[in-house]
Amino acid sequence: MTDAYIYDAIRTPRGKGRADGSLHEVTAVRLSAQVLDALAERNNLTGHAVEDVIWGNATQVMEQGACLARSAVLASNLDESIPGLSINRFCASGMEAVNLAANQVRGGAGMAYIAGGVEMMSRVPMGSDGAAIAVDPSLAMDRYFVPQGISADLIATKYGFSRDQADALAVESQKRAKAAWDDKRFGKSVITVRDINGLEILSYDEFIRPGTDMQTLGALKPSFKDMGEVMPGFDKVALLKYPQFERINHIHHAGNSSGIVDGAAGVLIGNKEFGERMGIKPRARIRATAKIGTDPTIMLTGPVPATQKILADSGITIGDIDLFEVNEAFAAVVLLFQQAFDVDPSLVNVNGGSIAMGHPLGATGAIIIGTLLDELERQDKEMGLATLCIASGMGAATIIERV
């Protein structure tokens, strides 16, 4: 197999995912095009420089519909001879784009790819595409479907995580994100989003709430308690699948769950010959990739079996991993990962995560791979693992190694 290398990784800042968010005026196609243009300019990509653009997004309707990847290529300065492929693995779409591109390179199907993803949650709301697992009673009832927030609280119930533990993780995420921005740790990767006149729209993650503490979080009501216990009563559905529990402990709220934001990210992946031809040096090798299906009711446990699978497949041990990025979809997801592998929390999400900066669904997988690479370089470490939970019960993971 040919080695697949990461040559560059960039992202946009994350804008608040609502009408008054700074990126709301930008479409998914235009935001994606800015990422593609930045990668092309930074790496002198001209002509048919890459085999394909593989782009993830989770809500593939309206202006995010059809083949958004091809539209983004045509909206960018990339050569029109470069095709585009849109993919959807929900929250891991950006990671799956990177993994798919890497495995294409490893298999000899082209020398280089651009991979990543986008989500404009202020413009195309989550769930607006409809989903069979949620709206088709014959499937939803058979699989004991519940919304993700109920699943997160079910994880907390099953594995014994308290509200205080979840809130403490959230406070730490905010603290680390602020420190990372203050220390300019994202300076290598975050591009400034500009309007058609070249004027700056956004240059920083605007979702961060650095004043967050245990007291402010303690005042928040659990977000999923009413939908679980009252109407429509999803707790009863979950407890049909997990009858060993008398009730679900609702610990998650807006402050210890991932934020709704807009954003995009891209990664330039190629083989050794590509780098030599372009005169650019690789930053990391993609050592392994993995994906797996899990129980669709508890839904969000995927990072644990995905990590177990990627370690078993690659022969790498958990002790070989220097740093971890575990997407903070909900606090309990990260707590479960740390518990399962007895990982030092100081090695997980060193610069904060989606609780502090937001989770632009289709982009997050590519974002955390780039963040992991930057931090490995900053700390002069060698190997990192990134992983996400995924809607409807899946998990994905990627291991990268600096070169």
Side-chain angles (χ1 to χ4, degrees), residues 25-336:
E25 67 184 84
V26 187
T27 66
V29 167
R30 293 297 172 184
L31 195 66
S32 300
Q34 290 201 31
V35 172
L36 298 180
D37 285 342
L39 283 171
E41 182 178 350
R42 285 162 59 123
N43 298 281
N44 195 29
L45 304 180
T46 59
H48 196 90
V50 298
E51 189 74 19
D52 202 356
V53 170
I54 305 177
W55 216 240
N57 66 291
T59 309
Q60 298 188 342
V61 293
M62 298 181 287
E63 61 193 49
Q64 288 187 172
C67 186
L68 187 150
R70 176 58 175 167
S71 296
V73 170
L74 295 176
S76 75
N77 294 322
L78 292 180
D79 194 279
E80 66 179 15
S81 65
I82 299 172
L85 170 66
S86 288
I87 65 167
N88 185 356
R89 200 185 291 279
F90 297 131
C91 301
S93 297
M95 175 175 284
E96 188 59 35
V98 171
N99 290 353
L100 179 56
N103 290 328
Q104 294 273 54
V105 170
R106 293 168 76 185
M111 289 199 305
Y113 287 74
I114 293 175
V118 67
E119 208 76 37
M120 297 303 296
M121 302 180 75
S122 71
R123 298 178 63 90
V124 184
M126 179 172 53
S128 56
D129 52 344
I133 186 63
V135 302
D136 182 344
S138 65
L139 178 61
M141 294 176 67
D142 182 58
R143 293 295 179 178
Y144 302 98
F145 169 81
V146 294
Q148 289 187 31
I150 302 295
S151 299
D153 287 339
L154 181 57
I155 290 174
T157 303
K158 181 175 181 179
Y159 295 96
F161 303 130
S162 69
R163 167 76 179 256
D164 280 351
Q165 285 178 288
D167 286 356
L169 187 145
V171 170
E172 184 65 17
S173 181
Q174 297 284 353
K175 177 182 175 181
R176 293 182 183 187
K178 182 181 186 301
W181 271 103
D182 289 347
D183 199 31
K184 298 181 171 56
R185 297 179 196 173
F186 300 130
K188 181 185 295 186
S189 302
V190 174
I191 64 171
T192 297
V193 178
R194 301 185 182 276
D195 66 16
I196 59 174
N197 298 310
L199 300 176
E200 179 179 313
I201 296 176
L202 187 65
S203 61
Y204 62 92
D205 291 326
E206 68 175 348
F207 190 78
I208 298 175
R209 294 151 291 177
T212 300
D213 57 25
M214 292 295 287
Q215 288 68 40
T216 58
L217 294 186
L220 299 177
K221 294 178 58 177
S223 296
F224 310 103
K225 183 179 176 66
D226 286 349
M227 72 166 63
E229 297 180 354
V230 187
M231 288 294 292
F234 281 113
D235 282 8
K236 293 180 180 179
V237 177
L239 293 174
L240 285 172
K241 186 73 171 286
Y242 290 86
Q244 65 268 40
F245 303 116
E246 181 178 344
R247 59 183 292 275
I248 292 176
N249 182 23
H250 292 285
I251 70 167
H252 289 95
H253 50 74
N256 59 27
S257 307
S258 57
I260 294 174
V261 294
D262 300 326
V267 182
L268 177 61
I269 300 162
N271 60 18
K272 184 178 180 181
E273 182 183 351
F274 169 75
E276 292 172 344
R277 176 180 296 184
M278 301 301 297
I280 54 178
K281 294 182 179 181
R283 296 171 61 189
R285 176 189 296 110
I286 296 180
R287 283 288 303 270
T289 68
K291 60 270 187 182
I292 199 164
T294 65
D295 170 22
T297 304
I298 203 166
M299 193 185 307
L300 307 174
T301 58
V304 173
T307 297
Q308 292 168 336
K309 185 176 189 299
I310 201 171
L311 294 176
D313 290 349
S314 65
I316 297 168
T317 69
I318 199 74
D320 295 326
I321 306 297
D322 296 304
L323 295 172
F324 302 86
E325 284 287 324
V326 182
N327 186 40
E328 296 175 351
F330 298 88
V333 175
V334 183
L335 292 170
L336 176 61

Side-chain angles (χ1 to χ4, degrees), residues 287-288 307-308 310-312 314-326 337 341-344 346-348 372 376 379 381-387 397-401:
R287 283 288 303 270
T307 297
Q308 292 168 336
I310 201 171
L311 294 176
S314 65
I316 297 168
T317 69
I318 199 74
D320 295 326
I321 306 297
D322 296 304
L323 295 172
F324 302 86
E325 284 287 324
V326 182
F337 183 90
F341 297 102
D342 193 24
V343 172
D344 183 345
S346 69
L347 304 179
V348 181
L372 180 62
L376 286 170
Q379 294 194 29
K381 302 292 187 181
E382 298 301 319
M383 195 174 302
L385 181 148
T387 184
T398 307
I399 293 176
I400 64 173
E401 180 182 24

